[in-house]
Amino acid sequence: QVLLVESGGGLVQAGGSLRLSCATSGRTFSGYTMGWFRQAPGKEREFVAAISWSGGSTDYADSVKGRFTISRDNAKNTVDLQMDSLKPEDTAVYSCAAGPPAAWGSKRSQYHYNYWGQGTQVTVSS
């Protein structure tokens, strides 16, 4: 069992920044593919970013590429999402997820992640 707890959400003006953090506990964190997903009201959950178990590989949705940065600290069992140049369309509930190393091959699919946090709200005002 892996427990995931997100923090760092809030209200920010367009153009601002937020840093989300996901703290994990339970089974060995360093072996997991980690991802961030978001869900806006009335929309499907969508992929935002993912990082491989070693941190050596990352992937981003086109909509956030160049603005968001995912990172992980295997010693602290955390994965962060630095969000810069935020836009109103980034408003959503952001959730972190953990999946096995093999999930990297399908990292953009939520169905390949086994564990999920409860989510944190990010609201970007125009």
Side-chain angles (χ1 to χ4, degrees):
Q1 184 73 13
V2 176
L3 298 177
L4 308 175
V5 179
E6 302 95 338
S7 61
L11 173 64
V12 65
Q13 288 188 330
S17 297
L18 281 175
R19 188 176 184 90
L20 306 183
S21 186
C22 176
T24 72
S25 61
R27 300 182 67 179
T28 305
F29 169 75
S30 61
Y32 282 88
T33 294
M34 298 298 297
W36 284 95
F37 290 77
R38 67 186 182 187
Q39 187 168 21
K43 293 188 176 181
E44 297 284 324
R45 179 184 285 170
E46 65 174 359
F47 169 78
V48 176
I51 188 165
S52 63
W53 67 272
S54 67
S57 297
T58 57
D59 187 35
Y60 298 92
D62 289 344
S63 59
V64 307
K65 196 173 295 182
R67 300 188 297 122
F68 291 11
T69 303
I70 188 171
S71 60
R72 67 189 295 163
D73 186 332
N74 286 344
K76 296 182 178 179
N77 292 349
T78 59
V79 58
D80 291 348
L81 185 68
Q82 176 66 39
M83 306 186 296
D84 299 318
S85 303
L86 282 161
K87 304 175 181 179
E89 51 264 43
D90 293 319
T91 295
V93 174
Y94 285 71
S95 299
C96 66
W104 184 252
S106 301
K107 52 194 169 293
R108 296 191 175 205
S109 170
Q110 60 179 308
Y111 302 107
H112 292 267
Y113 292 83
N114 305 101
Y115 305 101
W116 291 83
Q118 82 288 349
T120 185
Q121 176 70 46
V122 171
T123 302
V124 184
S125 62
S126 57

